[in-house]
Amino acid sequence: MTARCRHVRSHWNMKTTKRLKPRQLYLISNGDLRLSANQKCWPEQAKMEGIIAETLAAEGWSVVRAHAFDKQKQHGFIDSQKMGMEVFRNLDANGPLVVAECVWQYSHHLLHGLLTHRGPILTVANWSGTWPGLVGMLNLNGSMTKAGIRYSTLWSENFSDRFYKDGLRQWLEEGVVTHDQSHVKDLSMLKLPLADAQAGRRAARQLKKEKAILGVFDEGCMGMFNAIIPDELLHPTGVFKERLSQSALFAAMQRVSDAEAHAVLDWLLARGMTFAWGADEETELTQTQTLQQCKMYVAAVRLADEFGCAAIGIQYQQGLKDLAPASDLVEGLLNNVERPPAKCPKTGRVLFDGEAVPHFNEVDECAGLDGLVTYRLWRELGLPPENTLHDLRWGQHYKGPGVDDYVWVFLISGAVPPAHLQGGYGGAISERQPPMYFRLGGGTLKGVSKPGHVVWSRIFVMGGKLHCDLGVAKAVKLPQQETERRWRETTPQWPIMHAVLDGITRDQMMARHKSNHIQVVYAPDASQAHRACRIKAAMLAELGLEVHLCGNVRLV
């Protein structure tokens, strides 16, 4: 097998390393930081690992699991950076390595070891929406891409299909898996209409002239290395970071009065939003949790105004989770132009009146830059500017009334603006976040994204440069029964978009996409979606990004 990874000298004592025998490979599994999530997800992971081991045995290879099942913790995941370093110290750095993922994972647990691993690396995920393994694998892939680590990747529904078997065989024989990426076209090789190119360049020059601030509440604490833009790459775009602490947000929440929180809640109820309240704080959403979220919303708007932030990102899951309910309802409200008024406590002035405060979920700075650019450009074009990220969670082909296509499940923990949802606020419901992730509860902003034309995008770091993939899609309407089924297969408390990508197959998207997240924004019709996509491409290129049009984006 040909070694493919970066040749970086390893520093651990190789005398303690157990060498692999011929036709043996390592298998590791990375997980969450949260014990409850790792325990609940472990049975599915163990099942997948067993199937993968069988497919390898069929090719004459045997698996050496690089770390044991922990009887005390009741799971077999790598669950911290510390543990990951201990595991990699005992591995033969030249050995072939499979990273098997069927859950959300924190990439920093592994990145250090993968960076110094010289043998071939293969990431594998099960094609299932049950736990976000596809999401976790895409995050790890994007993180390795940013770090300059060479890797291959595969995915499968049952690990018996030809796509998986052929890919696995190629990796075992050659140390690499090749995928079709013919849907990707570099903008530098294309010619845009002059008017579109000029409009994009004007918008970029305006942003670089005026400059803007991203408010970053605790950078990187969810382990998403791919979501951090190095300052030296961000600054040439005219955008700069204000690094803020979530402790400051929590402190600001304490200065929001009960009356102000009730005013936010009354505003939402008056617009028809539903709250699935119960009485059990541990398992149900309560009004007390919602009112705390209303305080967080007001506090976030005030801090954004105080620091002059054009967009903000709250990390939450590994920061505020032990202090306050989830931030997802807050994030959805911030992303909407029509939202509850939040006032300056000194002057009574309505802050960001008539504007959204674009929010980038989980402090994904790539989504933050993208969201800010999109918001500014769509405002300039006279289009609805609300935009959000989703997880590229899962998908299946669907054939039914008006639809016969591969329909993706775009799903995120609640940060979708009501303007994206069928029925707006009236079609939105707030449900309690799952206890295994969110101990103190808090509600989502759940609904079904309305059918319509969409521009999608993803900014990422590759080869020491900022890149962006973008294309067009349609959000389609599925029968309620199918929507409910897809929710049951994933996370039913979260907002969903049924998305059909134009000119991109499932496997092409998985092979290319460098993130767990995808940014989406609506356009009024197909013609305006393609035009706005072209203008945005020109704007990003003028900001200094390497831009790639994906799928069927019309050039005229």
Side-chain angles (χ1 to χ4, degrees):
M1 183 181 287
T2 305
R4 307 178 299 103
C5 292
R6 255 167 61 168
H7 288 268
V8 181
R9 185 180 300 275
S10 60
H11 300 290
W12 55 77
N13 183 0
M14 295 301 292
K15 291 182 180 179
T16 65
T17 300
K18 181 179 180 181
R19 300 283 182 179
L20 289 172
K21 297 177 182 178
R23 301 183 77 80
Q24 283 187 334
L25 55 78
Y26 293 118
L27 186 143
I28 60 177
S29 62
N30 192 27
D32 209 293
L33 277 171
R34 292 159 290 199
L35 179 63
S36 58
N38 285 331
Q39 289 177 336
K40 189 162 182 95
C41 297
W42 173 249
E44 193 70 21
Q45 174 74 26
K47 177 182 174 182
M48 183 187 75
E49 288 186 20
I51 297 172
I52 291 174
E54 290 176 2
T55 64
L56 286 162
E59 300 295 330
W61 285 73
S62 60
V63 168
V64 176
R65 201 169 195 280
H67 48 104
F69 177 85
D70 189 314
K71 293 182 180 179
Q72 184 175 356
K73 294 179 180 178
Q74 287 297 296
H75 70 78
F77 291 110
I78 294 174
D79 59 3
S80 69
Q81 186 168 220
K82 174 186 175 183
M83 179 183 175
M85 287 188 179
E86 292 170 351
V87 169
F88 272 94
R89 287 188 186 113
N90 295 317
L91 300 189
D92 177 357
N94 294 308
L97 174 66
V98 173
V99 185
E101 292 297 343
C102 80
V103 301
W104 170 250
Q105 57 85 56
Y106 283 66
S107 293
H108 72 291
H109 295 173
L110 300 183
L111 205 60
H112 47 78
L114 297 172
L115 188 69
T116 56
H117 196 78
R118 295 187 292 270
I121 298 168
L122 176 69
T123 62
V124 183
N126 59 333
W127 196 263
S128 168
T130 303
W131 306 125
L134 293 165
V135 179
M137 185 185 75
L138 285 172
N139 176 259
L140 183 59
N141 289 352
S143 295
M144 286 194 288
T145 296
K146 178 186 173 186
I149 301 168
R150 298 184 65 191
Y151 66 93
S152 293
T153 187
L154 283 172
W155 47 92
S156 179
E157 290 189 29
N158 53 26
F159 302 99
S160 63
D161 55 282
R162 180 171 294 278
F163 171 81
Y164 171 75
K165 286 187 172 182
D166 288 349
L168 181 63
R169 190 171 296 119
Q170 183 188 12
W171 183 75
L172 292 170
E173 293 175 355
E174 303 173 21
V176 66
V177 181
T178 54
H179 294 294
D180 175 20
Q181 296 190 37
S182 59
H183 66 293
V184 182
K185 302 175 182 66
D186 296 343
L187 182 65
S188 60
M189 304 298 291
L190 305 173
K191 184 175 178 60
L192 298 178
L194 181 60
D196 295 343
Q198 290 176 335
R201 288 196 289 265
R202 282 196 303 270
R205 291 166 184 162
Q206 187 72 13
L207 176 58
K208 287 197 284 188
K209 177 183 177 182
E210 295 180 353
K211 300 182 175 59
I213 297 171
L214 293 183
V216 178
F217 285 92
D218 287 351
E219 186 172 65
C221 73
M222 282 191 68
M224 297 192 302
F225 178 70
N226 69 317
I228 301 171
I229 300 179
D231 289 44
E232 62 272 18
L233 298 185
L234 182 64
H235 292 171
T237 69
V239 179
F240 297 77
K241 299 178 194 178
E242 185 75 46
R243 288 178 169 86
L244 302 168
S245 169
Q246 291 188 117
S247 62
L249 178 59
F250 183 73
M253 288 172 60
Q254 313 315 305
R255 297 192 291 271
V256 179
S257 69
D258 291 344
E260 289 172 312
H262 277 284
V264 171
L265 179 55
D266 290 343
W267 189 98
L268 296 172
L269 291 170
R271 279 151 184 80
M273 188 169 171
T274 301
F275 294 85
W277 286 322
D280 186 349
E281 292 284 351
E282 292 188 6
T283 61
E284 297 177 301
L285 178 67
T286 66
Q287 189 176 101
T288 299
Q289 294 169 19
T290 300
L291 287 169
Q292 285 296 303
Q293 290 181 297
C294 292
K295 289 188 175 185
M296 187 187 294
Y297 164 74
V298 174
V301 175
R302 287 175 175 171
L303 285 171
D305 176 72
E306 178 182 349
F307 287 93
C309 300
I312 62 171
I314 302 169
Q315 191 76 250
Y316 181 74
Q317 291 192 36
Q318 293 303 333
L320 285 177
K321 71 176 177 63
D322 297 315
L323 295 173
S327 59
D328 301 282
L329 172 63
V330 178
E331 298 167 13
L333 299 179
L334 291 170
N335 275 329
N336 215 57
V337 171
E338 182 195 12
R339 54 183 178 77
K343 298 179 180 179
C344 173
K346 295 180 180 178
T347 66
R349 172 175 59 93
V350 176
L351 304 175
F352 301 94
D353 192 16
E355 298 286 351
V357 185
H359 181 278
F360 40 109
N361 185 277
E362 298 168 340
V363 189
D364 184 342
E365 294 165 7
C366 295
L369 176 60
D370 198 340
L372 174 61
V373 165
T374 302
Y375 187 84
R376 296 280 180 92
L377 180 60
W378 258 240
R379 272 293 200 211
E380 181 69 22
L381 297 176
L383 303 177
E386 288 94 346
N387 68 99
T388 184
L389 61 77
H390 277 278
D391 280 340
L392 193 68
R393 179 68 178 260
W394 177 59
Q396 285 182 337
H397 194 279
Y398 178 79
K399 184 176 183 180
V403 181
D404 184 5
D405 219 320
Y406 194 87
V407 182
W408 286 89
V409 173
F410 289 176
L411 201 75
I412 195 57
S413 55
V416 173
H420 282 199
L421 302 179
Q422 297 177 29
Y425 281 104
I429 180 171
S430 186
E431 297 182 357
R432 193 198 194 280
Q433 287 282 23
M436 78 167 182
Y437 290 128
F438 303 91
R439 181 176 62 85
L440 297 180
T444 57
L445 208 163
K446 172 184 173 178
V448 182
S449 294
K450 62 189 178 183
H453 295 274
V454 171
V455 177
W456 69 266
S457 52
R458 176 61 194 180
I459 290 174
F460 58 98
V461 180
M462 182 169 67
K465 297 180 180 180
L466 278 176
H467 291 251
C468 185
D469 288 352
L470 65 165
V472 293
K474 285 192 299 184
V476 299
K477 185 175 183 179
L478 299 184
Q480 185 63 28
Q481 183 178 4
E482 176 65 11
T483 297
E484 294 290 345
R485 185 188 72 83
R486 287 172 176 244
W487 259 328
R488 288 193 301 271
E489 293 288 328
T490 52
T491 308
Q493 298 87 355
W494 294 0
I496 192 171
M497 174 182 278
H498 304 306
V500 175
L501 300 177
D502 194 348
I504 307 171
T505 68
R506 182 197 79 167
D507 293 338
Q508 286 176 327
M509 190 66 178
M510 288 296 297
R512 170 64 181 186
H513 206 62
K514 305 301 182 187
S515 173
N516 45 310
H517 290 151
I518 187 168
Q519 200 78 11
V520 294
V521 61
Y522 279 91
D525 54 45
S527 177
Q528 293 188 75
H530 285 268
R531 175 175 176 265
C533 184
R534 295 192 299 265
I535 295 173
K536 181 176 175 180
M539 181 180 181
L540 291 166
E542 183 69 16
L543 290 174
L545 280 72
E546 300 282 337
V547 179
H548 318 276
L549 296 181
C550 300
N552 298 331
V553 180
R554 301 175 199 158
L555 297 180
V556 292

